[in-house]
Amino acid sequence: LFDFKIILGKNGVPVAENFQVEQSTIADTIQAGQVRVRTLYLSVDPYMRCRMNEDTGSDYLLPWQLSEVADGGGIGVVEESKHDNLAKGDFVTSFNWPWQTVAILDGSLLQKLVPQLVNGRLSYFLGAAGITGLTALLGIKEKGHVTAGANQTMVVSGAAGACGSLAGQIGRLEGCSRVVGIAGTDEKCAILVQEMGFDAAINYKKGNVAEQLRDLCPGGVDVYFDNVGGGISDTVISQMNQNSHIILCGQISQYNKDVPYPPPLPPDIEKIQKEKNITRERFLVLNYMDKQEASVLQLCQWIQEGKLKV
């Protein structure tokens, strides 16, 4: 059994020295209601940077504890069960899966997975058919105000990431007529256009982003799926239309800095936001768990039909 432990830093960029790997043993026997699982997949996500601070800045996220096992979204297979609804061989998932190769877990805290829903690609339940896909779909549905036939233009920052690449595709499926992505390499931009169905993509490390955005979004921006915050977002917001909408999914350019979430906009950009009545509301996928089941089934259907590429 290997587990992964973390030593916290207060501010700045995490480095290898903040982590350690330990070998330890677990109990030979499990109690009633428990299962022993073998870990298959772990999800490593930007929000985890917030868990490396004593104050995560989010009431729904607990900080990782010094020298304790890290945890996050995970998938495993049941090797032994004393829980009525779980049997050996079942695939299960949890948002609080410990980063260890084998674990004894409370069976009631695990969700059973149906591999056929994702054509046997179990890892999709941590991505396109999991929290990542739910964040993209529910973010667009709840905060994007996308209307089919309304000729809306959506811009996605962090567009080649797990969430952004799905958001652009879902924006199109929900009715946006134009989708433009922003990413950090030519290769990522090419994949967005050639494989993910984006109309265009901007490499923010090359050329003038504001000029490229004006050329690619001649009618302005109606919906902005914001993963990154910072200067890129300021540039997009300055080109947004009256009564448009920002889906505030993440601010990953700011996570290594000691700033509140969501970070305040610069005064000139905040002035534009208010004058144009642009909505910018904090979005938390966990607030919409009543829509989880139907939304996961929708994501799985799109994956099976080839409409959503992972």
Side-chain angles (χ1 to χ4, degrees), residues 40-43 45 72-76 90-95 97 111-135 162 166 292-293 295-301 303-304 310:
L40 298 176
Y41 299 100
L42 296 169
S43 188
D45 304 286
I75 289 172
D90 283 347
F91 296 107
V92 290
T93 186
S94 167
F95 190 62
W97 195 282
Q111 188 179 352
K112 191 149 73 168
L113 298 173
V114 182
Q116 294 89 328
L117 287 174
V118 286
N119 301 327
R121 301 291 294 272
L122 271 174
S123 64
Y124 285 12
F125 284 117
L126 292 181
I131 289 285
T132 315
L134 285 171
T135 300
L166 297 170
Q292 177 186 4
E293 197 174 338
S295 299
V296 167
L297 289 174
Q298 174 67 84
L299 292 163
C300 290
Q301 184 183 334
I303 291 167
Q304 288 172 344
V310 184

Coordinates of all heavy atoms in Angstrom, one line a residue, residues 40-43 45 72-76 90-95 97 111-135 162 166 292-293 295-301 303-304 310:
L40 N -8.1 2.6 -9.0 CA -7.9 2.6 -10.4 C -7.5 3.9 -11.0 O -6.6 4.0 -11.8 CB -9.1 2.0 -11.2 CG -9.5 0.6 -10.8 CD1 -10.8 0.2 -11.5 CD2 -8.4 -0.4 -11.1
Y41 N -8.3 5.0 -10.7 CA -8.1 6.3 -11.2 C -8.2 7.3 -10.1 O -9.1 7.2 -9.2 CB -9.1 6.6 -12.3 CG -9.1 5.7 -13.5 CD1 -10.0 4.6 -13.6 CD2 -8.1 5.8 -14.5 CE1 -10.0 3.7 -14.7 CE2 -8.1 4.9 -15.6 CZ -9.0 3.9 -15.6 OH -9.0 3.0 -16.7
L42 N -7.4 8.4 -10.2 CA -7.5 9.6 -9.4 C -7.5 10.8 -10.2 O -6.9 10.9 -11.3 CB -6.3 9.7 -8.4 CG -6.1 8.6 -7.4 CD1 -4.7 8.7 -6.7 CD2 -7.2 8.6 -6.4
S43 N -8.3 11.8 -9.8 CA -8.4 13.0 -10.6 C -7.6 14.1 -9.9 O -7.8 14.3 -8.7 CB -9.9 13.4 -10.7 OG -10.0 14.5 -11.5
D45 N -6.9 18.0 -9.9 CA -7.6 19.2 -10.4 C -7.1 20.5 -9.8 O -6.6 20.5 -8.7 CB -9.1 19.0 -10.1 CG -9.7 17.7 -10.6 OD1 -9.9 17.6 -11.8 OD2 -9.9 16.7 -9.8
G72 N -9.4 13.1 -3.1 CA -10.1 13.9 -4.2 C -11.0 12.9 -5.0 O -11.3 11.8 -4.5
G73 N -11.4 13.3 -6.2 CA -12.2 12.4 -7.0 C -11.4 11.1 -7.3 O -10.3 11.2 -7.8
G74 N -12.0 10.0 -7.2 CA -11.4 8.7 -7.5 C -12.3 7.6 -7.8 O -13.5 7.7 -7.6
I75 N -11.8 6.6 -8.5 CA -12.5 5.4 -8.9 C -11.7 4.2 -8.5 O -10.5 4.1 -8.7 CB -12.8 5.4 -10.4 CG1 -13.8 6.5 -10.8 CG2 -13.3 4.0 -10.9 CD1 -14.0 6.7 -12.3
G76 N -12.4 3.1 -8.1 CA -11.7 1.9 -7.8 C -12.7 0.7 -8.0 O -13.8 0.8 -8.3
D90 N -17.5 -4.8 -8.2 CA -18.2 -3.6 -8.6 C -17.2 -2.4 -8.7 O -16.2 -2.3 -8.0 CB -19.2 -3.2 -7.4 CG -20.5 -4.1 -7.5 OD1 -20.7 -4.7 -8.5 OD2 -21.2 -4.0 -6.5
F91 N -17.5 -1.5 -9.6 CA -16.7 -0.3 -9.8 C -17.4 0.8 -9.0 O -18.6 1.0 -9.1 CB -16.6 0.1 -11.3 CG -15.8 -0.9 -12.1 CD1 -16.5 -1.8 -13.0 CD2 -14.4 -1.1 -11.9 CE1 -15.8 -2.7 -13.7 CE2 -13.7 -2.0 -12.6 CZ -14.4 -2.8 -13.5
V92 N -16.7 1.6 -8.2 CA -17.3 2.6 -7.4 C -16.4 3.9 -7.4 O -15.3 3.9 -7.8 CB -17.3 2.1 -5.9 CG1 -18.4 1.0 -5.7 CG2 -16.0 1.6 -5.4
T93 N -17.1 5.0 -7.0 CA -16.4 6.3 -7.1 C -16.8 7.1 -5.8 O -17.8 6.9 -5.2 CB -16.8 7.1 -8.4 OG1 -16.0 8.3 -8.4 CG2 -18.3 7.4 -8.4
S94 N -16.0 8.1 -5.6 CA -16.2 9.0 -4.5 C -15.5 10.3 -4.8 O -14.4 10.3 -5.4 CB -15.7 8.5 -3.1 OG -15.7 9.5 -2.1
F95 N -16.0 11.4 -4.3 CA -15.3 12.8 -4.4 C -14.2 12.9 -3.4 O -13.4 13.8 -3.5 CB -16.4 13.9 -4.2 CG -15.9 15.2 -4.6 CD1 -15.4 15.5 -5.9 CD2 -15.8 16.2 -3.6 CE1 -15.0 16.8 -6.2 CE2 -15.3 17.5 -4.0 CZ -14.9 17.8 -5.3
W97 N -11.9 10.3 -2.4 CA -11.2 9.1 -2.5 C -9.7 9.3 -2.0 O -9.1 10.2 -2.5 CB -11.1 8.6 -3.9 CG -10.7 7.2 -4.1 CD1 -9.4 6.7 -4.1 CD2 -11.6 6.1 -4.3 NE1 -9.4 5.4 -4.3 CE2 -10.7 4.9 -4.4 CE3 -12.9 5.9 -4.5 CZ2 -11.2 3.7 -4.7 CZ3 -13.4 4.6 -4.7 CH2 -12.6 3.5 -4.8
Q111 N -20.4 5.6 -4.7 CA -21.5 5.5 -5.7 C -21.1 4.4 -6.7 O -19.9 4.4 -7.2 CB -21.5 6.9 -6.4 CG -22.7 7.0 -7.4 CD -22.7 8.4 -8.0 OE1 -21.9 9.3 -7.6 NE2 -23.5 8.6 -9.0
K112 N -22.0 3.5 -7.0 CA -21.7 2.4 -8.0 C -21.8 2.9 -9.4 O -22.7 3.7 -9.7 CB -22.7 1.2 -7.8 CG -22.3 0.0 -8.5 CD -22.8 -1.3 -7.8 CE -24.3 -1.5 -7.9 NZ -24.6 -2.9 -7.4
L113 N -20.8 2.5 -10.2 CA -20.7 3.0 -11.6 C -21.2 1.9 -12.6 O -21.1 0.7 -12.3 CB -19.3 3.4 -11.9 CG -18.7 4.5 -11.1 CD1 -17.2 4.7 -11.4 CD2 -19.5 5.8 -11.3
V114 N -21.7 2.4 -13.7 CA -22.2 1.5 -14.8 C -21.3 1.7 -16.0 O -21.5 2.7 -16.7 CB -23.7 1.7 -15.2 CG1 -24.1 0.7 -16.2 CG2 -24.6 1.6 -13.9
P115 N -20.2 0.9 -16.2 CA -19.2 1.1 -17.2 C -19.8 1.3 -18.6 O -19.3 2.0 -19.5 CB -18.3 -0.1 -17.2 CG -18.5 -0.6 -15.8 CD -19.9 -0.3 -15.4
Q116 N -21.0 0.6 -18.9 CA -21.6 0.6 -20.2 C -22.0 2.0 -20.6 O -22.1 2.4 -21.8 CB -22.8 -0.3 -20.3 CG -22.4 -1.8 -20.2 CD -22.4 -2.3 -18.7 OE1 -22.1 -1.5 -17.8 NE2 -22.8 -3.5 -18.5
L117 N -22.3 2.9 -19.6 CA -22.8 4.2 -19.9 C -21.7 5.1 -20.6 O -22.0 6.0 -21.3 CB -23.2 4.9 -18.6 CG -24.5 4.5 -18.0 CD1 -24.7 5.2 -16.7 CD2 -25.7 4.8 -19.0
V118 N -20.4 4.7 -20.4 CA -19.3 5.4 -21.0 C -18.5 4.5 -21.9 O -17.3 4.7 -22.1 CB -18.4 6.1 -19.9 CG1 -19.1 7.3 -19.3 CG2 -18.0 5.1 -18.9
N119 N -19.2 3.5 -22.5 CA -18.5 2.6 -23.5 C -17.3 1.9 -22.8 O -16.3 1.7 -23.5 CB -18.1 3.3 -24.7 CG -19.3 4.0 -25.5 OD1 -20.4 3.4 -25.4 ND2 -19.0 5.1 -26.1
G120 N -17.4 1.7 -21.5 CA -16.3 1.0 -20.8 C -15.1 1.9 -20.4 O -14.2 1.4 -19.7
R121 N -15.2 3.1 -20.7 CA -14.1 4.0 -20.4 C -14.3 4.6 -19.0 O -14.8 5.7 -18.8 CB -13.9 5.2 -21.4 CG -13.7 4.7 -22.8 CD -12.3 4.1 -23.0 NE -11.3 5.0 -22.9 CZ -10.8 5.8 -23.9 NH1 -11.3 5.7 -25.1 NH2 -9.8 6.6 -23.7
L122 N -13.9 3.8 -18.0 CA -14.3 4.2 -16.6 C -13.8 5.6 -16.2 O -14.4 6.3 -15.4 CB -13.7 3.1 -15.6 CG -14.5 1.9 -15.3 CD1 -13.7 0.9 -14.5 CD2 -15.8 2.3 -14.5
S123 N -12.6 6.0 -16.6 CA -12.0 7.2 -16.2 C -12.9 8.4 -16.6 O -12.8 9.5 -16.0 CB -10.6 7.4 -16.8 OG -10.7 7.5 -18.2
Y124 N -13.8 8.2 -17.6 CA -14.7 9.3 -18.0 C -15.6 9.8 -16.9 O -16.1 10.9 -16.8 CB -15.6 8.9 -19.2 CG -14.9 8.8 -20.5 CD1 -13.5 8.9 -20.6 CD2 -15.6 8.7 -21.7 CE1 -12.9 8.8 -21.9 CE2 -15.0 8.6 -22.9 CZ -13.6 8.7 -23.0 OH -13.0 8.6 -24.2
F125 N -15.8 8.8 -15.9 CA -16.7 9.2 -14.7 C -16.0 10.2 -13.8 O -16.6 10.8 -12.9 CB -17.1 8.0 -13.9 CG -18.2 7.1 -14.6 CD1 -17.9 5.8 -15.0 CD2 -19.4 7.7 -14.8 CE1 -18.9 5.1 -15.6 CE2 -20.4 6.9 -15.4 CZ -20.2 5.6 -15.8
L126 N -14.7 10.5 -14.0 CA -14.0 11.5 -13.3 C -13.9 12.8 -14.2 O -13.4 13.8 -13.7 CB -12.6 11.1 -12.9 CG -12.5 10.0 -11.8 CD1 -11.1 9.7 -11.5 CD2 -13.3 10.4 -10.5
G127 N -14.3 12.7 -15.4 CA -14.1 13.8 -16.4 C -15.4 14.1 -17.1 O -16.3 14.7 -16.5
A128 N -15.5 13.7 -18.3 CA -16.7 14.1 -19.2 C -18.0 13.7 -18.6 O -19.0 14.4 -18.8 CB -16.5 13.6 -20.6
A129 N -18.0 12.6 -17.9 CA -19.3 12.1 -17.3 C -19.3 12.2 -15.8 O -20.1 11.5 -15.1 CB -19.6 10.6 -17.7
G130 N -18.4 13.1 -15.3 CA -18.3 13.3 -13.8 C -18.4 14.7 -13.5 O -19.1 15.5 -14.2
I131 N -17.8 15.1 -12.4 CA -17.9 16.5 -11.9 C -17.5 17.5 -13.0 O -18.0 18.6 -13.2 CB -17.0 16.7 -10.7 CG1 -17.6 16.0 -9.5 CG2 -16.8 18.2 -10.3 CD1 -18.8 16.7 -8.9
T132 N -16.4 17.1 -13.8 CA -15.9 18.1 -14.9 C -17.0 18.3 -15.9 O -17.3 19.5 -16.2 CB -14.7 17.5 -15.5 OG1 -13.8 16.9 -14.5 CG2 -14.0 18.5 -16.3
G133 N -17.6 17.3 -16.4 CA -18.7 17.4 -17.4 C -19.9 18.1 -16.8 O -20.5 19.0 -17.5
L134 N -20.3 17.8 -15.6 CA -21.4 18.4 -14.9 C -21.1 19.9 -14.7 O -22.0 20.7 -14.9 CB -21.6 17.8 -13.5 CG -22.3 16.4 -13.4 CD1 -22.2 15.9 -12.0 CD2 -23.7 16.5 -13.9
T135 N -19.9 20.3 -14.4 CA -19.6 21.7 -14.2 C -19.8 22.4 -15.6 O -20.3 23.6 -15.6 CB -18.1 21.9 -13.8 OG1 -18.0 21.2 -12.5 CG2 -17.7 23.3 -13.6
A162 N -9.7 20.1 -19.3 CA -10.7 19.1 -19.1 C -12.1 19.7 -19.2 O -13.0 19.2 -19.9 CB -10.5 18.4 -17.8
L166 N -14.9 20.6 -22.9 CA -16.2 20.1 -22.9 C -17.2 21.3 -23.0 O -18.2 21.2 -23.7 CB -16.5 19.4 -21.6 CG -15.7 18.1 -21.4 CD1 -15.9 17.6 -20.0 CD2 -16.1 17.0 -22.4
Q292 N -28.1 16.3 -11.0 CA -26.9 15.5 -11.3 C -27.3 14.3 -12.2 O -26.7 14.1 -13.2 CB -26.2 15.0 -10.1 CG -25.0 14.1 -10.4 CD -24.4 13.5 -9.1 OE1 -24.9 13.7 -8.0 NE2 -23.3 12.8 -9.3
E293 N -28.3 13.5 -11.7 CA -28.5 12.2 -12.4 C -28.9 12.4 -13.9 O -28.4 11.8 -14.8 CB -29.7 11.5 -11.7 CG -29.7 10.0 -12.1 CD -30.8 9.2 -11.2 OE1 -31.1 9.7 -10.1 OE2 -31.2 8.2 -11.7
S295 N -28.4 15.0 -15.7 CA -27.3 15.6 -16.4 C -26.2 14.6 -16.8 O -25.7 14.7 -17.9 CB -26.6 16.8 -15.6 OG -27.6 17.8 -15.3
V296 N -25.9 13.7 -15.9 CA -24.9 12.7 -16.2 C -25.4 11.8 -17.4 O -24.6 11.4 -18.3 CB -24.5 11.8 -15.0 CG1 -23.8 10.6 -15.4 CG2 -23.7 12.6 -14.0
L297 N -26.7 11.5 -17.3 CA -27.2 10.6 -18.4 C -27.2 11.4 -19.8 O -26.9 10.8 -20.8 CB -28.7 10.2 -18.1 CG -28.8 9.2 -17.0 CD1 -30.3 9.0 -16.6 CD2 -28.2 7.9 -17.4
Q298 N -27.4 12.7 -19.7 CA -27.3 13.5 -21.0 C -25.8 13.5 -21.5 O -25.6 13.3 -22.7 CB -27.7 14.9 -20.7 CG -27.5 15.9 -21.8 CD -28.4 15.6 -23.0 OE1 -29.5 16.0 -23.1 NE2 -27.9 14.9 -24.0
L299 N -24.9 13.7 -20.6 CA -23.5 13.6 -21.0 C -23.1 12.3 -21.6 O -22.4 12.2 -22.6 CB -22.6 13.9 -19.7 CG -22.7 15.4 -19.2 CD1 -22.1 15.5 -17.8 CD2 -21.9 16.4 -20.1
C300 N -23.5 11.2 -20.9 CA -23.2 9.8 -21.4 C -23.8 9.6 -22.8 O -23.2 9.0 -23.6 CB -23.7 8.8 -20.4 SG -22.8 8.7 -18.9
Q301 N -25.1 10.1 -23.0 CA -25.7 10.0 -24.3 C -24.9 10.7 -25.4 O -24.7 10.1 -26.4 CB -27.1 10.5 -24.2 CG -27.9 10.3 -25.5 CD -29.3 10.9 -25.5 OE1 -29.9 11.1 -24.4 NE2 -29.8 11.3 -26.6
I303 N -21.7 11.3 -25.3 CA -20.5 10.6 -25.5 C -20.7 9.4 -26.4 O -20.0 9.1 -27.4 CB -19.9 10.2 -24.2 CG1 -19.4 11.4 -23.4 CG2 -18.7 9.2 -24.3 CD1 -19.1 11.1 -21.9
Q304 N -21.8 8.6 -26.1 CA -22.1 7.4 -26.9 C -22.4 7.8 -28.3 O -22.1 7.0 -29.3 CB -23.3 6.7 -26.3 CG -22.9 6.0 -25.0 CD -24.2 5.4 -24.2 OE1 -25.3 5.8 -24.5 NE2 -23.9 4.5 -23.3
V310 N -13.8 13.5 -25.9 CA -13.1 13.6 -24.6 C -11.6 13.7 -24.9 O -11.1 12.8 -25.5 CB -13.5 12.4 -23.7 CG1 -12.8 12.6 -22.4 CG2 -15.0 12.3 -23.6

